[in-house]
Structures are given as structure tokens and as C-alpha cells.
Amino acid sequence: MQAILYLYRCKAKNWFRQAIKKPAKIIFILFIAASLIFTFISGSFEMTTEDFGYFKPQVPQAAALVAWGLAALIFFSLLYTATKSGSLVFSPADVHFIFTGPFLPQNVLLYGMLNLMGSIIFSTFFLLYQVPNLLRLGFTRGGIALTIFFYLFGFIVISLLRQALFLLISEREKLGRAIRILVVLLIGAGILALLFFFLKGGRAGELALFLKKPAVCLSLPVLGWWSRLLMCGWICFVLMLLTAVLSVLYSYQTHPDFYEEGAQQAEVLAAAKASHGERRRVQRKEKKVKLRKKGLAGGQGESTFFFLHLLEMQRKRPYLFGIPTAVYLFAAGILAYLASVSAVSDITAVYIFLWIGILIIYFFGQNTPLLEDLQQPVFYYAPGSSLKKILWVTLCPLLYSAFDILPGLILAAVFLDLPLILPIAVFLLVLSFSLLVFGIQLIVTRIAGTMEGTFATIIYLLLFYFLLLPGLFLSIISFTLADTALYSAVLLLLAGVVFHILLFILSAFVGVRAMRKGIEK
Amino acid sequence: MLEIRNLSKYYGRLAANDHISLRIPDEKIALLVGPNGAGKSTLIKSVMGLLRYDGEVYLDGVLNKSREGRGKIGYVPEIPHLYDLLTVWEHLEFTARMYKLKDWEEEAERLLERFELSDKRNKLGTELSKGMQQKVSICCAILPKPRFILFDEPMIGLDPHGIKMLKESFAELKEEKISMLISTHILDTVDELWDIVCIMMNGKIVAVAEHEELEAHGESLEELFFRVTEPYGEIAEDMRLGKNSGSSAVLEEERAAESPGRVKAGEKAGEKAASDNKRKEEGEEA
């Protein structure tokens, strides 16, 4: 144990030393911390409890739903990983030193569990962000502290239970498979029950009242107990404590032999981390060999890159439809349904749709042709203007982003009976957000890790949060308030789009500068 | 004493280690040699307790996977993995704390000196080259002075100077009565320091020889290695081409008769090689 503590101490100390050497890292952390404090302070002062008067009667229900949702998400995901070697999180260095060291296997497993504590602590940030809201919802400060404590406690108990479960099934393949199927069935049954409940006209408030009942909580071991605990139910604390003790006792009674799976898992994780770039390069190379065999559909000079990626996309998505298209359609369908049963207002549905669009662009935009090309030497030494190359390469994902959102947006517009200007606004905003993402990618990829890069990222985020989003909200609110505000709102939206195009071109110039530097080198 | 009893390790249907039994007495340097894919690393990892296998491994009568057993073995893997955020010295201190060593600093300094790492003591794991990492890994394995050290291809990544240092360390460790099992396919790894050689092929130990015995017959390690391993290759090739492997088997029997007791598993080399080859093919199919 002393050695493990020493290991953690050294890791933390050296991480800090390394961070000091790279001020960009420190600035980014400070930025995140400042945004957290800012949220906390602004949340506490901007709105009073009275502002939330409307929500007051729903407070306990909302808390119950959040507690259940959070507990179910963590509980089932941890339980599922217990049936696989996913519960073994070790590094190759751990295999080299800890696995071969004079430790009890159970202690090695506990060390592996400690490795996961970082993610648990990180997830408590989610709760910290909610402190102002929890206060407004009627929680006392003591209650909030207890909720955070119970959240951490529950997480640790479930991790211990997961460890015990993993040990139970580690050498019983059939039992492991049965439990895995059971977990999947339970999740499926839960989702079906929820769907059935809402399709039958059930309301969120009714569901919350049902889930709040002590009998319901107590009858569902661990998951129910933890949910109840998050609402400060003391009996469940004892039950959870008992679960933890029994899990630890069971773990220490077994003779676990997880070293092979642990070492394999560590290798896989390390290889994935190390070869991520390499693998992607190989995949790209293979893709381009295939493309060469077929030939490009068109293009000359810089535009060849556009046709190259167009062909790649055609190969990836022969019928144009991709996962984002499906997600947009699905979201539009759900929102249209929710609006039809008056669960959400039309304008809220548009908001949600817009946010889904932004999230899709953000997550699916992580692997754009632009990023891939920026890592290809050929992109640098191919003849032609750097700026043109960047613009051509960006055109392909932009077209696909536009296509992805269209079917869902049309569906939502028809079913929600939206005024034409609203879907157009959403469409333009999503496209302008795409440009923002591409611009950030350009800058961050080219000058990542430098002071310049960090400041660029922060400025972009600040611009986005403090300039674009308020403008966006104002414009949409103005639609709902009065038609007279329509023209100013449209102007604001168009300004937003133009602003993003300008930002993107500026980013492109930064990229071009960096490319030229690279070529010179 | 390291005792391996009937150890088998299967990957699907492929027998990476096939019913291996081996005994390495105290204060001996044992070489584990064999061609690529013979199962050397699997055997080393199994002895280290990093794999699940059938059979038993004992160190001074203690099971290798027990806490006590783990305390008796040191391990130098083929590819060193250091902690990114630990310095060279901190790796040594971490090892010392793991093994609850007392007054280890002097020995650690000496090891750093020997492996020319003194000026790298404050470098992080990520800041070291592969060869340097291997040296740190070796220092960490030696520092607790375990009863037994397993080296899996320790020369890989080391420069000629590093190899020389390591060879000197082998001699020192031997003097300190630490036994070693060194897996390698570089036959002059330990020059004349070795005591026992185990030759592996297709997951089996096909020959075990002692240094003195080999010297008495006037045969070098290299000659023994090729004598034992090449006929198998020929037989395998014949079988692949559908030829009768009888001649090779006779040849092996004749050779075994010439040097009785040295080629342990070579009595019916043709049959064994045929079955090994079949198993290997099945494994590859699997």
C-alpha cells in the first residue's frame, strides 16, 4: 500500500512539474476551473429562488428522476463491464511492475479500481455544476454536500460490487454470458417500460412519484438503494454499506487469476493509444489505394482533394444516409411526438433539435477529411495554393453536414408546423457551427500545445459562448415573442453566419501560415 | 529451485507450451533458446504468473502465483514499460517500496552507475529511449535481489555497451547466488556463463543440456542448437511438400544414439515433429 501511495504521489508531483513546463496546459486547466467557478457564482446570483417559483411544485419529482437516471446509467454500465474484462484498467507499466510485484491479487484489483477513481472524481464536477440549481430546487447546503457524498459513496460501492461480480464469473464463462444477457435484457426491459409508459400517456411527474416511493426503491437492490440514497434515504445507506462489505469479503475469499486478461487489456489499451494515429494513417492509405484503383470522379489541382473526399464519402455512404442523418431523423420524430402530446412546446423542440445538431457536428466532426489531410505529407507538398486546398477539403464535410440535417429538419418543420424562417435559421446555424468546428480544428491541429494555440482555443470558445449563443437565443426568443422582431432576428442570424465564415477564413489563413512553415522546414 | 511441472498453455487449439516439465537448480543460469514462435516468451510469462495455464510452477516449493512466490521472482520483459510520470530514480524507489527493501539506495546508485544511468536519474519514463528503458527495467528487476530472475530477450534494444554491462551483471548475479532463466534467440547472450540450456520448438522442450556435458563432447551451443532444430525444420518442410519424413527421423535417432541423454525429446523425432507440425497447422487454422 505504501508503494502504491508513493506511486500516486510521484505521478501527481511529476504531472504538476510537467504542466508547469507547458503553460498551455495550465492555462487550459485554469480556464476550465474558472468557468466552473463562474457558473457557480453566476448561478447563485443571477436568479433568485423566486424566479424558479414556477418549478417549485415539481422539485422533488425532478430530483427523483435525475437521481434514478444517473444511478441507472452508472449502475448498468459498470455492471456490464463487470461481465467483460473492461473492469480491468491497467497500464502496461502496471503489468510490468504491479502484476509481477509481491501483492495479493485482490490488492492489485483494488489498485485497478483506484485507477478509475479519477473518472469518478471528474464526474462529480457534473454535480458541482448543478449546485446553484439544487439550491434553487430547495436543497439545503448540507443536503447538497450529503448528495455529493452519497454519489461518490454509491459509485465506490458499485465499483466494489463490480469487482466481486467480475471475480465470480471470471472463470465461469457460461455464468458470465448469462449475466451479460441478463444486464442487456434488464436495460431493454427498462427502456421498453418507459416507452410504453409514455405512449400510454404517462407523464414525467407521475413516473417520478412512482420512483420516489420507498417500497419501489427498496425492492430494487443497489440501483434502487442508490437512487433513494441520492435523495437522502438513510436506510439505503446501511444497505449499500452492507453490499460494499460483502463484496470486499467475497473478493478476498476468492483466488482470482485475472493477470492474463489484465495484461491483454493493458496491451489493447496501450496499443489503441499509441497506434491511434498510425492505424488511421494505414486506413487512410488503404482507402486511397482503393480510390486510385477506381479513379477520381473529377477535380483538378486543389479541387482534387474535394473529389477525393467526395468519393471516399460515397464509398462510406453509398445511399447518402449516414448515422448523423438517422440521428437527426430519430430526434425529429421523437420531438414531433413529444410536441404532439404537449410534453414540450414547439419552440423547446426547436431548441433541442438545434442542440442535437450542434452535438452531432461536434462529435462527428472530430474525424473530418480536413484533419486527416493535415496529417498527410502529400497535402503539404502537392502543388497549388494552400488556402484553396483547405477550402476545397472543407467543402465536402460541409455538404454532408447540410445533407444530414435536411431530412430531419424538414420532418420537424412539417410536424411541428414551424414558420419557414425557423427551419432556415436552424439550418444556417448548424452550418455556421460546422464552420466554427472546422476553424477550431484547423487552428488547434496546427498550433496545438503552444501558447498561441491555447489562446486561440480559448478565444474561440469565449466568442462562441458569449457572442454567438446569446445572439442565437435572443433571436429564437424574439420569434416567439413578436413577429415585429423577426427582421432583426434574421439579421442577427445572418450576422452570425457571416461572422463564422469570416472566422473560418481567418482560421484558414492561420492554417496556411502553419503549412508554409511546415513546407519550409 | 525453479520447478515447472507439466505446464501447458493453449491459445485456442494451438499449444504454445505443451506439457513442459523443467527443473532449474539454485545458482544456475539457464538459457531458454529456440526459433521464433517456439513458445519461449509464453513459458517465461507463465512462470511469472502473467498467464493462465495448466500445470504447476514452484519456486523453492512455493507456488509462483502466491504473494510469497511473486516476491521471489524478478522479471525483465521483452518490451519494457515504464511509468510515464515516474523518473528513473522513482522507479527504483517504487520497486524498493514494493519489496519493502531496507538500505537500498547504495545498491540503486551502483546499478545506475553500472548501466550508465546516473545522469538520467531525474528523467521521466517517457523521456528515455527504448534501450534506456530496458536498462531501467533491468535495474528494477535486480534491485530486490530476488531468488530468481526471468529475462525475456533482454538484449533487444540495448547498444553493444549495454549488452556488455548486462553480461557483467549476469556474472555478478551468479556470484550473488541468484538463479536466472534467460529467454533468447541470440546464442552468445551469456557467452560462457550459462549452466543449462533448454531448446524449445513448437511449444516443447526438445533438448536440455548442461554446459560441462556439452564441453565434454566438444560441441558448441550453436552446433547443438542447429543439430537439434534443423532436422525438425527439414521434416516440417518435407511434410509440407508431402514427402516421407522417415529419413530425417532415422537421422535424428542416429544422432541421438551418438550423444545419448543430450537430445531428450529426440527419440522419435520424426513422429514428434509430424505431430507438432500437425498441431501447429491446426493452430494456425484455428
Side-chain angles (χ1 to χ4, degrees):
Chain A
M1 198 59 198
Q2 202 199 6
I4 301 292
L5 288 175
Y6 174 78
L7 178 66
Y8 278 117
R9 207 174 64 217
C10 287
K11 276 184 178 178
K13 183 185 74 190
N14 292 331
W15 179 87
F16 190 70
R17 276 187 187 162
Q18 287 297 99
I20 288 172
K21 281 182 194 166
K22 290 176 184 166
K25 212 172 180 178
I26 283 282
I27 290 168
F28 195 73
I29 291 162
L30 285 176
F31 176 70
I32 297 288
S35 73
L36 185 77
I37 294 164
F38 179 73
T39 313
F40 189 82
I41 296 168
S42 65
S44 307
F45 291 103
E46 272 178 8
M47 288 178 179
T48 58
T49 314
E50 285 71 38
D51 295 327
F52 276 71
Y54 171 72
F55 295 105
K56 270 275 172 181
Q58 297 174 4
V59 165
Q61 284 93 323
L65 281 180
V66 169
W68 268 92
L70 193 68
L73 186 76
I74 297 167
F75 177 74
F76 282 116
S77 58
L78 287 189
L79 222 58
Y80 187 74
T81 53
T83 63
K84 297 182 153 205
S85 50
S87 53
L88 298 168
V89 181
F90 297 100
S91 68
D94 291 334
V95 175
H96 184 163
F97 290 94
I98 310 272
F99 277 28
T100 59
F103 294 112
L104 274 177
Q106 287 88 348
N107 289 348
V108 176
L109 279 174
L110 280 178
Y111 163 77
M113 212 180 90
L114 279 177
N115 278 344
L116 286 172
M117 286 296 150
S119 61
I120 298 173
I121 290 165
F122 185 75
S123 69
T124 49
F125 278 104
F126 163 77
L127 283 178
L128 286 176
Y129 266 112
Q130 298 308 315
V131 168
N133 290 329
L134 290 171
L135 280 171
R136 284 186 224 116
L137 286 170
F139 276 80
T140 59
R141 284 190 187 275
I144 294 170
L146 262 185
T147 304
I148 292 172
F149 168 73
F150 285 149
Y151 169 75
L152 284 170
F153 171 72
F155 219 129
I156 293 166
V157 172
I158 293 178
S159 301
L160 288 170
L161 178 71
R162 177 176 75 157
Q163 214 73 279
L165 191 67
F166 171 73
L167 292 176
L168 175 73
I169 60 180
S170 61
E171 285 184 49
R172 299 175 180 93
E173 207 180 312
K174 281 181 185 167
L175 183 67
R177 208 176 299 147
I179 291 178
R180 199 177 308 153
I181 292 168
L182 191 71
V183 172
V184 173
L185 283 177
L186 273 173
I187 296 169
I191 292 170
L192 279 177
L194 276 179
L195 278 176
F196 185 74
F197 177 79
F198 283 115
L199 285 172
K200 281 281 175 188
R203 293 267 161 187
E206 289 165 9
L207 180 70
L209 279 175
F210 173 74
L211 292 176
K212 264 187 68 190
K213 287 178 185 169
V216 175
C217 292
L218 287 170
S219 62
L220 280 164
V222 189
L223 171 61
W225 302 342
W226 193 23
S227 314
R228 181 93 188 135
L229 196 58
L230 288 171
M231 294 177 268
C232 298
W234 283 99
I235 304 164
C236 295
F237 180 71
V238 179
L239 288 168
M240 291 286 279
L241 200 63
L242 208 64
T243 308
V245 171
L246 286 174
S247 301
V248 172
L249 283 178
Y250 174 76
S251 298
Y252 277 89
Q253 272 187 346
T254 56
H255 301 285
D257 189 356
F258 55 87
Y259 293 97
E260 186 168 347
E261 287 84 2
Q264 276 172 0
Q265 192 72 8
E267 260 177 45
V268 169
L269 286 175
K273 203 174 152 189
S275 70
H276 182 63
E278 185 57 34
R279 199 171 59 241
R280 278 177 54 186
R281 270 194 289 281
V282 171
Q283 282 170 351
R284 280 199 301 274
K285 200 176 165 191
E286 283 170 0
K287 227 185 282 173
K288 284 182 179 169
V289 167
K290 279 183 195 168
L291 283 166
R292 271 204 296 276
K293 280 179 188 163
K294 190 183 169 182
L296 295 175
Q300 240 183 354
E302 297 91 340
S303 66
T304 319
F305 285 97
F306 166 70
F307 286 95
L308 175 84
H309 295 302
L310 204 60
L311 199 57
E312 275 183 340
M313 287 305 283
Q314 280 166 2
R315 277 171 174 262
K316 257 194 224 168
R317 292 159 56 165
Y319 305 106
L320 275 173
F321 280 81
I323 296 171
T325 334
V327 176
Y328 277 122
L329 271 170
F330 183 72
I334 294 278
L335 289 172
Y337 166 74
L338 289 176
S340 72
V341 295
S342 308
V344 292
S345 67
D346 288 0
I347 203 71
T348 313
V350 173
Y351 268 130
I352 297 171
F353 191 80
L354 187 65
W355 274 106
I356 290 170
I358 286 172
L359 287 175
I360 287 176
I361 298 278
Y362 183 76
F363 286 109
F364 285 88
Q366 299 299 317
N367 196 15
T368 59
L370 180 65
L371 273 189
E372 289 187 4
D373 279 342
L374 284 171
Q375 293 165 48
Q376 288 272 20
V378 68
F379 192 66
Y380 294 84
Y381 57 70
S385 146
S386 303
L387 183 64
K388 277 185 188 172
K389 276 189 241 170
I390 288 173
L391 294 177
W392 274 114
V393 168
T394 315
L395 190 60
C396 179
L398 199 66
L399 280 179
Y400 270 84
S401 298
F403 173 76
D404 282 337
I405 194 171
L406 268 178
L409 194 59
I410 292 167
L411 185 83
V414 170
F415 281 98
L416 295 172
D417 199 20
L418 298 174
L420 186 63
I421 192 74
L422 217 52
I424 292 175
V426 171
F427 183 69
L428 288 175
L429 273 168
V430 170
L431 284 193
S432 63
F433 185 75
S434 301
L435 284 174
L436 178 79
V437 170
F438 298 147
I440 289 176
Q441 282 177 348
L442 252 175
I443 287 193
V444 171
T445 315
R446 288 300 84 214
I447 48 180
T450 62
M451 291 288 284
E452 219 179 341
T454 307
F455 280 123
T457 315
I458 291 171
I459 289 166
Y460 256 100
L461 289 173
L462 287 175
L463 282 173
F464 181 68
Y465 284 111
F466 292 102
L467 223 114
L468 181 78
L469 280 190
L472 160 70
F473 291 146
L474 275 176
S475 61
I476 291 184
I477 289 164
S478 66
F479 280 121
T480 56
L481 290 177
D483 282 344
T484 44
L486 202 68
Y487 290 109
S488 58
V490 171
L491 280 176
L492 203 60
L493 279 172
L494 284 174
V497 175
V498 172
F499 169 71
H500 276 125
I501 292 170
L502 285 174
L503 270 185
F504 174 73
I505 291 173
L506 280 175
S507 320
F509 275 115
V510 173
V512 167
R513 223 188 80 204
M515 276 176 74
R516 282 185 189 143
K517 268 189 191 171
I519 293 164
E520 278 165 20
K521 271 186 191 171
Chain B
M1 182 172 66
L2 169 72
E3 196 179 356
I4 301 168
R5 289 186 200 162
N6 210 20
L7 189 147
S8 294
K9 172 68 191 170
Y10 291 88
Y11 290 112
R13 283 160 64 194
L14 175 72
N17 287 162
D18 194 0
H19 297 92
I20 290 176
S21 291
L22 189 67
R23 200 180 280 196
I24 298 169
D26 288 339
E27 300 166 33
K28 299 277 182 196
I29 296 184
L31 273 188
L32 189 61
V33 295
N36 293 330
K40 304 185 294 291
S41 287
T42 306
L43 183 63
I44 292 270
K45 282 180 188 167
S46 296
V47 173
M48 195 58 239
L50 290 175
L51 297 177
R52 199 176 276 142
Y53 52 83
D54 299 322
E56 285 158 339
V57 179
Y58 290 94
L59 285 133
D60 294 339
V62 179
L63 267 176
N64 63 335
K65 287 192 179 182
S66 67
R67 187 180 187 170
E68 203 186 335
R70 285 184 189 279
K72 287 176 185 284
I73 336 176
Y75 175 54
V76 178
E78 187 179 354
I79 302 162
H81 291 293
L82 303 186
Y83 285 104
D84 293 350
L85 287 171
L86 249 61
T87 62
V88 171
W89 182 257
E90 283 164 351
H91 273 93
L92 289 166
E93 185 167 354
F94 174 56
T95 308
R97 283 173 186 260
M98 266 202 304
Y99 288 85
K100 295 178 181 164
L101 305 179
K102 296 226 161 67
D103 306 323
W104 53 274
E105 288 88 350
E106 203 179 317
E107 175 63 12
E109 291 282 5
R110 198 186 64 79
L111 283 170
L112 290 184
E113 196 72 39
R114 163 166 289 284
F115 284 94
E116 295 174 335
L117 288 168
S118 296
D119 57 331
K120 304 279 186 300
R121 56 187 296 144
N122 292 322
K123 291 267 177 199
L124 292 178
T126 43
E127 294 168 349
L128 300 173
S129 68
K130 274 275 175 280
M132 292 284 181
Q133 289 185 4
Q134 184 69 308
K135 284 179 183 177
V136 177
S137 167
I138 292 165
C139 292
C140 289
I142 293 174
L143 184 67
K145 296 272 164 59
R147 294 275 294 112
F148 218 95
I149 304 182
L150 306 173
F151 290 90
D152 192 359
E153 304 286 1
M155 307 294 187
I156 289 177
L158 292 186
D159 55 24
H161 211 60
I163 292 173
K164 191 177 160 230
M165 303 289 151
L166 185 60
K167 284 179 180 177
E168 284 170 14
S169 292
F170 285 147
E172 275 177 23
L173 290 170
K174 195 180 177 185
E175 274 174 28
E176 289 177 36
K177 300 185 174 158
I178 293 173
S179 307
M180 283 164 272
L181 177 62
I182 304 163
S183 151
T184 184
H185 50 239
I186 303 168
L187 296 176
D188 64 350
T189 296
V190 284
D191 294 332
E192 298 304 305
L193 283 172
W194 64 275
D195 300 296
I196 302 165
V197 64
C198 310
I199 301 176
M200 279 192 81
M201 274 203 70
N202 296 334
K204 289 184 174 189
I205 292 185
V206 289
V208 177
E210 287 190 16
H211 199 168
E212 294 85 8
E213 197 184 356
L214 206 65
E215 268 184 349
H217 280 84
E219 195 175 20
S220 71
L221 177 59
E222 198 176 70
E223 282 165 348
L224 173 73
F225 180 80
F226 288 116
R227 184 169 64 78
V228 173
T229 56
E230 281 191 337
Y232 285 81
E234 285 168 20
I235 293 163
E237 184 63 14
D238 285 351
M239 289 203 49
R240 197 176 65 77
L241 300 170
K243 290 179 191 169
N244 190 341
S245 59
S247 59
S248 295
V250 172
L251 180 72
E252 187 56 36
E253 277 176 7
E254 281 169 3
R255 282 175 179 169
E258 279 170 20
S259 52
R262 286 162 61 191
V263 181
K264 285 184 81 177
E267 300 90 0
K268 291 183 179 175
E271 280 174 31
K272 277 180 179 281
S275 67
D276 289 347
N277 199 48
K278 196 180 170 193
R279 191 179 290 109
K280 196 178 174 186
E281 280 173 5
E282 282 172 357
E284 278 164 5
E285 276 172 27

